[in-house]
Amino acid sequence: MFGDTRNPVGLSSSPDYALVGLLRIPAAQSSPWVSLTRRVLFAILLLFTAATVVYIGRHGYRDNTGDELSFLDAMYYATVSLSTTGYGDIAPVTPSARLVNIIVITPLRVLFLIVLVGTTLGVLTERSRQAFKIQRWRHTVRNHTVVVGYGTKGRTAIDAMVGDGVQLSDIVVVDTDPIALEAAAAAGLVTVHGSATKSDVLRLTGVQRASAVVVATNRDDTAVLVTLTARELNKTAKISVAIREAENTHLVRQSGADSVVVSSETAGRLLGIATTTPTVVEMMEDLLTPEEGFAVAEREVEPGEVGGSPRHLSDIVLGVVRNGALIRVGEPESDALEAGDKLLYIRRAGSK
C-alpha cells in the first residue's frame, strides 16, 4: 500500500546536480551590490591583464597611423577585443577619444552585458554552487538530527534543540510544503523537499548516519510510517515522535520510536492544571524553555557519586537513567548510583 521502502534505487542514487531544488544547503547571504562590484572588479582585472599582454608584445601591433603602440593603445585594443566590439568604419584615433572610450563607453558595455546575461549566469552559477555543496554535504554529514515536518511542532523542537546548544548545521528539515521549506532555509537549515514516508527521501537527509530523528507530522498514520521507515534505515538513532491521539502510542512504539509525545493530551492536561494552579503551568513552561530560568538536563554520574543516593547531591535530581530505563528518585533502585548511570536534574539555563 505504501510502496517498497527498501528499494535503494531512486533519488538517493541520483547525481548531485539532479538534487538541486530537492536538497538545499543554506548559503551566506550577501548584498547584490557586493556581488555586482565583485563582477565589475573581475572584469577590470581581465582588461588590465589583456592590456599588459598586448603591451608586452607591442612590437607586433600597429595602429592605422603606423605608430608604435603605447599602453593606452594596448588598453584600447584590449577594450574593443574583450567587449566583442571589434574594428569598424569609425575608430577613435586621438588619445583623448580613446581615453573616453575606455572610461565611459566600456563600462556602459559591461553594464549592458551584465543586464543581458547576468541573470542566466547567476542561475547557472548558483546551480553549480549548490551541486558542489550538496556533494560535499552528503559526504561529510554525520551525527545530525533529521526533523520531519516544519510546522509549529517542528519549529518549536528545533528552537529547543538550538537552545540546548545544537548547531543549525547539524539539523536537516524534510517537508512537502515549499513555503515551510523556504522558512527553514531562511533560518539557516538544510532542507529536503519530499515525503519522509519514502525511503529515498529520508536517505537524502543522511538519516542512515543521523544520531536522532524528530517526527513532527500533522497526521498520526504518517508519523507511524515515517517512524517505521526511519527505523529500518537506522537501527540506533533516537527517534522521537509527536502524535495527536494516545491510542496510537503503541503503534508508534512498535514502529521503532524511542519517545512518544501525545500533543493533544499534554496540552489538555496543562489546560486543566491552569484552571486551578496556573503557576504550575508557568513552571512547566520554564523547565521546557532552555534559554531562560530553569531547564531539565542530563549528565553522567561522576566517579565520586557512585554508590551514593541522588537525594544527597547538590543538584536537584528528578530521576536516574540506567540501561536506557528511567528510575524516578524515591524508588528503591535509585538509592545507590551505579557507574554508567545518567542523572536527570534541574539546572539553571545557560549553565552546563
Side-chain angles (χ1 to χ4, degrees):
M1 178 174 62
F2 297 113
D4 185 3
T5 60
R6 295 170 297 177
N7 183 11
V9 179
L11 292 176
S12 58
S13 59
S14 300
D16 298 315
Y17 65 83
L19 301 177
V20 176
L22 294 177
L23 177 58
R24 183 174 177 181
I25 312 298
Q29 300 296 323
S30 61
S31 168
W33 291 107
V34 173
S35 178
L36 180 62
T37 301
R38 289 175 179 171
R39 292 187 182 185
V40 171
L41 291 177
F42 184 66
I44 293 175
L45 177 62
L46 290 177
L47 178 62
F48 271 92
T49 302
T52 302
V53 171
V54 172
Y55 185 70
I56 292 176
R58 60 187 178 277
H59 298 296
Y61 294 87
R62 289 291 184 274
D63 62 12
N64 54 9
T65 62
D67 297 331
E68 183 176 324
L69 268 64
S70 65
F71 189 76
L72 181 60
D73 296 326
M75 285 291 293
Y76 168 74
Y77 181 84
T79 299
V80 297
S81 298
L82 294 185
S83 63
T84 69
T85 304
Y87 296 104
D89 295 336
I90 302 176
V93 294
T94 64
S96 59
R98 292 184 175 181
L99 184 61
V100 169
N101 188 278
I102 294 172
I103 295 177
V104 179
I105 304 302
T106 298
L108 293 179
R109 293 193 187 106
V110 172
L111 289 176
F112 175 78
L113 292 174
I114 290 175
V115 172
L116 184 63
V117 301
T119 302
T120 302
L121 290 176
V123 171
L124 293 176
T125 302
E126 180 60 25
R127 288 188 65 86
S128 300
R129 187 182 299 118
Q130 275 291 318
F132 174 75
K133 288 182 178 180
I134 288 172
Q135 181 185 40
R136 183 176 58 183
W137 181 84
R138 294 179 71 185
H139 283 86
T140 59
V141 63
R142 296 287 188 283
N143 300 321
H144 57 295
T145 300
V146 178
V147 178
V148 181
Y150 197 68
T152 302
K153 291 180 290 187
R155 289 195 301 269
T156 305
I158 290 174
D159 290 341
M161 288 187 286
V162 172
D164 280 334
V166 178
Q167 300 297 318
L168 290 175
S169 57
D170 292 330
I171 301 175
V172 182
V173 173
V174 55
D175 206 314
T176 57
D177 184 1
I179 298 178
L181 292 178
E182 283 292 335
L189 299 167
V190 176
T191 62
V192 174
H193 184 207
S195 174
T197 59
K198 299 179 179 179
S199 59
D200 273 344
V201 173
L202 278 182
R203 283 191 178 93
L204 289 185
T205 68
V207 71
Q208 311 94 303
R209 300 178 296 276
S211 61
V213 179
V214 176
V215 182
T217 59
N218 293 325
R219 294 169 54 98
D220 287 1
D221 54 350
T222 304
V224 171
L225 184 55
V226 171
T227 303
L228 184 63
T229 307
R231 179 56 74 201
E232 186 177 30
L233 295 174
N234 190 323
K235 304 298 183 183
T236 60
K238 295 181 180 178
I239 302 181
S240 305
V241 186
I243 58 176
R244 292 177 177 270
E245 304 298 334
E247 62 186 21
N248 295 321
T249 301
H250 73 286
L251 292 175
V252 179
R253 288 198 179 277
Q254 288 178 357
S255 299
D258 297 294
S259 301
V260 180
V261 178
V262 184
S263 57
S264 58
E265 288 197 357
T266 302
R269 291 191 188 99
L270 292 176
L271 288 174
I273 294 173
T275 60
T276 55
T277 53
T279 52
V280 173
V281 177
E282 184 177 348
M283 177 56 69
M284 292 296 296
E285 291 179 345
D286 190 333
L287 292 175
L288 294 174
T289 306
E291 293 87 355
E292 57 185 16
F294 295 95
V296 179
E298 182 182 87
R299 69 172 177 84
E300 300 281 350
V301 170
E302 298 178 359
E305 298 170 341
V306 175
S309 172
R311 289 178 289 186
H312 298 157
L313 301 178
S314 57
D315 294 325
I316 302 175
V317 180
L318 301 177
V320 178
V321 180
R322 181 175 298 160
N323 298 323
L326 174 63
I327 305 173
R328 293 172 177 80
V329 171
E331 297 182 8
E333 295 86 348
S334 69
D335 286 340
L337 295 175
E338 300 178 2
D341 286 350
K342 295 182 180 180
L343 301 179
L344 293 178
Y345 70 104
I346 297 177
R347 65 169 172 83
R348 184 171 296 277
S351 63
K352 298 294 184 182

